[in-house]
Amino acid sequence: MPDTIDLNNPVMAAFLVISFLSLLPAILVMFTSFTRIVVVLSFLRQAIGSQQIPPNPVIIGLSLFLTLFVMGPTVTSVSKDSITPYMEKQITLTEAVRRAESPVKSFMLRQTREKDIALFLNLAREKAPATPSELSMRIVVPAFAISELKTAFEIGFLLFLPFLIIDMVVASVLLSMGMMMLPPVMVSLPFKLLLFVLVDGWNLIVGSLMRSFH
């Protein structure tokens, strides 16, 4: 990797922009809070029983902005310590990458379970380093990903419980009334929406999601 790249060169600048855009989805999913947020919101939609409401663009858009909110301090740190000094030609590209890795890894390690890190250390047949900051991104990234999925599934399970109870109650009432041909989901959906609105569900869900990142 060269230590300097001429950003004033239009060809080089275009190459860097295209390369970054091609890697952006992978970076968003594997290095940020996006995965947990979008999975939880998808679970919420499934629990309510409305297959297309909120629509996918709304879920993705909300997930993106919540991700920007969560990652704000990390992005600020990367910009201040890595991007800005490199753009001002105060440090080399190698040093800029090294500086950018530190705050990103720190965020990821705070969300990652030790059990998941141990799993990939064992699979890679590597010994645990003296400090977590010495872990390679080869270990941290997959461990972070499965930790995020586990956390998202745990939150999703808790989301399903109250709506599942409503479905069971409605199904029992319809069965006792002999209305077996009427789909319980059709009757329970208004009650689930009413419950969600009465408890100010969006405020609770988003607040709990934001506080789950530490």
Side-chain angles (χ1 to χ4, degrees):
M1 180 183 293
D3 285 342
T4 58
I5 294 178
D6 185 9
L7 297 179
N8 294 321
N9 186 330
V11 176
M12 182 59 68
F15 173 76
L16 288 176
V17 170
I18 294 173
S19 299
F20 177 76
L21 291 177
S22 65
L23 292 173
L24 187 59
I27 293 173
L28 185 66
V29 171
M30 300 301 294
F31 290 82
T32 72
S33 58
F34 179 81
T35 297
R36 183 190 305 187
I37 295 171
V38 75
V39 170
V40 168
L41 294 181
S42 299
F43 268 128
L44 173 63
R45 182 173 64 181
Q46 187 70 23
I48 293 176
S50 55
Q51 299 298 321
Q52 298 297 329
I53 298 176
N56 285 331
V58 174
I59 289 181
I60 299 298
L62 180 58
S63 300
L64 284 172
F65 277 94
L66 292 178
T67 299
L68 289 174
F69 181 84
V70 172
M71 300 300 297
T74 303
V75 172
T76 300
S77 178
V78 170
S79 176
K80 178 182 177 182
D81 299 334
S82 175
I83 298 176
T84 300
Y86 177 73
M87 296 295 291
E88 295 176 354
K89 299 183 179 180
Q90 297 175 1
I91 58 175
T92 64
L93 179 59
T94 302
E95 177 65 14
V97 172
R98 188 189 66 79
R99 290 189 182 186
E101 180 181 304
S102 179
V104 174
K105 184 190 292 185
S106 177
F107 168 80
M108 296 169 72
L109 288 173
R110 289 198 302 271
Q111 320 304 324
T112 307
R113 300 181 303 160
E114 293 182 3
K115 182 178 180 181
D116 295 326
I117 293 176
L119 169 65
F120 285 97
L121 281 173
N122 183 50
L123 292 174
R125 298 182 180 179
E126 296 182 9
K127 294 183 179 180
T131 60
S133 60
E134 296 177 13
L135 287 165
S136 67
M137 294 299 283
R138 173 175 174 243
I139 301 297
V140 174
V141 171
F144 170 76
I146 64 174
S147 291
E148 286 293 277
L149 287 173
K150 176 180 170 57
T151 303
F153 274 63
E154 289 175 344
I155 298 173
F157 171 76
L158 296 176
L159 284 175
F160 260 94
L161 287 179
F163 299 113
L164 178 62
I165 292 173
I166 293 178
D167 283 333
M168 294 175 63
V169 170
V170 170
S172 299
V173 171
L174 292 178
L175 185 61
S176 65
M177 295 175 63
M179 303 174 67
M180 293 176 290
M181 301 301 293
L182 183 62
V185 175
M186 183 182 300
V187 179
S188 64
L189 180 58
F191 291 102
K192 289 190 285 188
L193 291 175
L194 179 62
L195 171 67
F196 192 72
V197 171
L198 288 177
V199 301
D200 197 4
W202 287 113
N203 185 286
L204 289 175
I205 296 299
V206 172
S208 298
L209 261 177
M210 296 299 97
R211 284 188 287 269
S212 71
F213 294 97
H214 47 79

